Amino acid sequence: LMDINILKIASDTKNNKLIKNFTHTKKYKSQICGDEIEIFLIIKNNMIEDLSYQSQSCIYCNASANLVTKNFKSKSRGKIKTFLKLLDQFNDKENILFPNEWKDFKKVFDKKNFSRKECLTLPIKALKKII
């Protein structure tokens, strides 16, 4: 059964676009399902000023990409690296205890969605290549 939170988050597509004057970009394709995402960032003084994505992917990947683009604006690279380490704990046994700042991610990175880990982490993998 599709999680309604995933559907709601993925349906917000305002960051699904190409931003002009990006300083960094990375395209990443899943070896498993063929989903593809490209992330665009404007990074200045180690801060993420803006970011967006374009994808040909499933709803899980789009939901994750949307959360990333909404939550990582105006954050430092260091803060995002710390968050990405937290996501490394994603498993099917117990949910990650997200700090309040990252609480939106609880809705998607939930153990019940672990079977879609490849889809959910695709935007994260692309971002890791830049950050």
Side-chain angles (χ1 to χ4, degrees):
L1 188 67
M2 169 65 63
D3 182 337
I4 194 73
N5 285 318
I6 300 266
L7 206 55
K8 278 184 190 162
I9 294 165
S11 66
D12 173 5
T13 57
K14 73 175 190 291
N15 292 319
N16 187 346
K17 63 184 180 194
L18 171 65
I19 49 176
K20 289 185 168 77
N21 307 322
F22 60 84
T23 58
H24 298 73
T25 184
K26 184 69 190 164
K27 191 178 242 182
Y28 206 89
K29 187 172 183 159
S30 167
Q31 299 306 306
I32 295 172
C33 63
D35 277 5
E36 198 170 86
I37 189 160
E38 189 164 8
I39 295 195
F40 307 95
L41 294 97
I42 297 174
I43 302 176
K44 290 190 179 143
N45 302 320
N46 266 333
M47 294 293 285
I48 295 183
E49 286 191 358
D50 202 3
L51 68 162
S52 70
Y53 68 96
Q54 289 186 318
S55 67
Q56 291 178 305
S57 60
C58 72
I59 197 160
Y60 288 90
C61 180
N62 283 334
S64 178
N66 183 33
L67 283 179
V68 163
T69 54
K70 277 171 60 176
N71 285 277
F72 289 3
K73 279 182 190 163
S74 306
K75 298 273 194 307
S76 70
R77 279 178 150 173
K79 189 171 272 252
I80 290 169
K81 279 182 186 171
T82 302
F83 172 76
L84 295 176
K85 282 193 184 105
L86 191 62
L87 277 190
D88 289 340
Q89 301 170 22
F90 187 41
N91 67 65
D92 59 351
K93 304 287 184 272
E94 57 185 350
N95 285 321
I96 298 169
L97 295 170
F98 286 104
N100 211 30
E101 179 181 14
W102 305 112
K103 68 181 186 304
D104 287 359
F105 286 87
K106 270 195 274 205
K107 296 171 184 162
V108 172
F109 287 89
D110 184 289
K111 62 184 178 188
K112 70 178 184 288
N113 295 326
F114 187 75
S115 64
R116 302 304 296 261
K117 180 180 182 179
E118 183 69 22
C119 312
L120 290 170
T121 57
L122 195 65
I124 306 299
K125 287 175 183 169
L127 197 65
K128 274 184 173 177
K129 301 277 186 199
I130 298 169
I131 300 292

